[in-house]
Structure formats: C-alpha cells, structure tokens
Amino acid sequence: SVLHQDGRVLALTRSLVVLLLAVAAVAAGVSVPAARAQSAPEPGYLGTDDTGVPRYRLPAGASPLPGPQRTDYFVTVGGRERVFRLHVPSGLDEGPVPLVAGLHALYSDRRKAEAVMDWQRLAPGQFVLVYPQGLDASWNAGRCCGRSSDEGVDDVAVLTEVLRLAGRAHPVDPRRRYVTGLSNGGMMALALACARPDVVAAVLAVAAAHMTPCRPGRGVPLMQVHGTGDSVVPYGGTAYSDFLRTRVPSVADTQNLWRRANTTPLRPTAVVRLEGGPHAWPTTSYDTTGRGWTFLRSQVNPCRPYSGPRPGRDRTLRCA
C-alpha cells in the first residue's frame, strides 16, 4: 500500500539522518555516547550532567564505550564508587597512542581540572585524556590531603585501574602514560609514580611537593612548575601548613629526592621557577600545558609490554 511504502521511506530517511548526525559528531569531536543515548541508550546509561556530558556506570569487568567521546564513567574500585571524565578525541591513530591524566587540586574536581589544565586543546590527533576525581575532592598523597588521606584510601590502586579502563576505549601505549596534577593532584601524581613506575612514563607536577614516605626505587622523568609566591605549597617548604595540616617539603627537597632516582639523562628531573607566581596552574605567564606536553611526549617508559608469563630470572620491569 501507499501507507506502507511511505512508512518505509520515512524509516529510511530517519536512518539516513541519524547516520549523517553521527558522522558529523565524530568529525567535530562531539561525544558519540551522547548521540547514541538519544536513540538507544547502552546498559548503564545515567543520562547527562547539567552541561550535557553523558554519564555511564561501568559494572565490574565492563569497558568504556569505544570511539570519540567526552564522557563521565562511574566505577567501583576498592568498595567505593569513583568517577572519571574520559576524552577520546577525533583524529587518533588506530594503533596505540599516548594517554594523559590530569589530577585536580584539593577541594576541586574533574570539571575544574578540565577547565584549568585544558589538555583537550592538544589532545585531538595526539592522545587519550582522562580527568579522574578524588574521593570528597581529595587525593591520598601520603601526609596530604583531606578525607582520602584521613581514611587511608588506596588512590594508587584507583588511578591504576582508571588508566587501565581508559585504555580500553582506545588502544593506549603502556610506555607512554603521563600523569599530571595541580597541588594535591600533583602530589598524587608523584605518589603514583613512586609506587608504580610500571604505570607512569613521566610526571608534570604543578604547585606540588612529594609528600609520600615512598622513596623511588626506579627513575621516572619529572617536571615541576612552581611559583615563588605560592602561599599554600611554599616554594621553600614549611614546617607546618595551616591549610594542609602537615609539613610541606620544598621544591629543592622534591628535586633532590627524584634526582637520586633519575640518574641518567634519559630520565630528566627539571623545575620551572616562576618568580612571584601564585598557587595556580599558570596559563598566561607560562604555558604550562603546552610546555608540559613538550616535556612529556619526549619521555618513554623503558618497561616492556607484558607478553606472557615472566621467565624466572627476568627482572625487567613489565608495563602494567
């Protein structure tokens, strides 16, 4: 009948429109999960946040959605629900690419880290990006800070799992996973590198100090960016910080600790001293994100990708 034929034409037209919208979304780097959710939500879909970012709950053993996206994922690690924002930009190679993680400051969150660090401006065609969120806006970086430190949260295990999950949305090179952070987030980046050098290829720590009692057993390239006018994490350290409620090592203390581990030119330990700079992620006086990426992308973890059972006498560091 004419009605039946019109129905088929209408269905075909709708399918064509959906296909064209999806292609346009991928080309623009818009979240594919958001477009999918409008027609046929995948299991675990939680709707969008107030800015339109789609949200998904990941059951144990599940993987993030594949392809270009900007999505919040909720996952249970260590008995607690945690969330991370994942950017998979357009233009990435089909093979393994680098991954950059941006850790927020104390009493901040993934949204603010995304706005301040702005790694997404460099990500297209270059790397997968993830912004994890700490428990109650804090990270357990040894003596600092907040609820995560007070409750002894194993944020090393949390971040290791988040980086692993991010690598399931798009292939990630295990030798090129870079961790960056501001303040408490920078402290956490250092703590993770110290505890898991098999996970981290290099660290960019901004307005941060090494707070964990861990002593690096193996080198991990480090770049510190720190202002001399920082009153929260003072450049010269402090015997006691009223804000952080603990002693804060100096930039020199952190540099000396990591230089003892980074004993070759292939594992540099660098510091950018910003005269009068405040406690912040510099964007105007110094392009922290751009200069930071120049440093990070030149570092490669010498760990060997896992390829089966480790021989009994093989002590080579394996990538996690």
Side-chain angles (χ1 to χ4, degrees):
S1 66
V2 174
L3 179 62
H4 182 66
Q5 291 175 351
D6 288 345
R8 286 189 298 175
V9 170
L10 179 60
L12 179 60
T13 302
R14 286 176 176 172
S15 298
L16 181 59
V17 169
V18 170
L19 177 60
L20 291 174
L21 288 175
V23 171
V26 172
V30 176
S31 173
V32 171
R36 289 172 176 164
Q38 292 172 3
S39 55
E42 287 84 353
Y45 179 62
L46 301 173
T48 63
D49 70 3
D50 55 4
T51 65
V53 175
R55 303 177 302 158
Y56 285 83
R57 176 168 288 113
L58 280 182
S63 297
L65 298 171
Q69 59 183 289
R70 176 171 171 254
T71 309
D72 281 345
Y73 288 100
F74 294 78
V75 60
T76 299
V77 183
R80 302 176 189 263
E81 186 172 69
R82 308 297 294 262
V83 59
F84 61 93
R85 177 160 293 184
L86 177 65
H87 288 254
V88 179
S90 59
L92 295 177
D93 292 340
E94 292 184 4
V97 299
L99 180 146
V100 174
L103 309 185
H104 63 75
L106 182 64
Y107 306 138
S108 185
D109 58 32
R110 66 193 184 281
R111 296 183 182 185
K112 293 177 182 177
E114 179 184 52
V116 170
M117 299 179 186
D118 196 23
W119 286 109
Q120 54 275 14
R121 72 179 167 92
L122 300 178
Q126 298 200 78
F127 55 81
V128 169
L129 170 60
V130 61
Y131 290 107
Q133 185 154 318
L135 179 67
D136 201 18
S138 66
W139 300 105
N140 179 12
R143 298 190 305 276
C144 184
C145 296
R147 180 183 172 189
S148 290
S149 178
D150 293 342
E151 297 186 9
V153 176
D154 188 355
D155 279 324
V156 168
V158 170
L159 291 173
T160 300
E161 176 65 6
V162 167
L163 296 183
R164 184 185 69 84
L165 288 171
R168 288 185 170 184
H170 185 94
V172 164
D173 185 345
R175 299 167 302 169
R176 293 186 292 166
R177 290 177 295 207
Y178 308 112
V179 184
T180 73
L182 169 63
S183 189
N184 182 214
M187 298 171 184
M188 189 65 233
L190 290 165
L192 177 63
C194 189
R196 295 297 304 267
D198 56 331
V199 171
V200 183
V203 168
L204 170 63
V206 180
H210 190 120
M211 307 291 289
T212 175
C214 172
R215 291 294 180 266
R218 177 184 161 279
V220 176
L222 165 65
M223 178 179 178
Q224 279 185 276
V225 178
H226 212 117
T228 60
D230 191 330
S231 59
V232 177
V233 182
Y235 194 95
T238 181
Y240 186 81
S241 166
D242 291 332
F243 180 72
L244 300 179
R245 296 180 295 138
T246 186
R247 179 181 71 85
V248 179
S250 67
V251 170
D253 291 335
T254 300
Q255 287 284 302
N256 290 337
L257 186 155
W258 279 95
R259 280 177 179 147
R260 288 195 292 269
N262 294 335
T263 56
T264 74
L266 296 177
R267 297 174 188 166
T269 305
V271 60
V272 177
R273 174 188 171 109
L274 299 178
E275 294 297 332
H279 186 72
W281 183 281
T283 56
T284 54
S285 60
Y286 182 83
D287 182 8
T288 304
T289 303
R291 297 286 187 89
W293 175 237
T294 298
F295 173 83
L296 295 173
R297 69 184 180 188
S298 64
Q299 313 304 324
V300 178
N301 197 328
C303 65
R304 293 177 55 190
Y306 184 76
S307 59
R310 182 184 303 182
R313 295 183 179 181
D314 183 5
R315 296 183 179 179
T316 302
L317 186 72
R318 300 282 178 167
C319 303

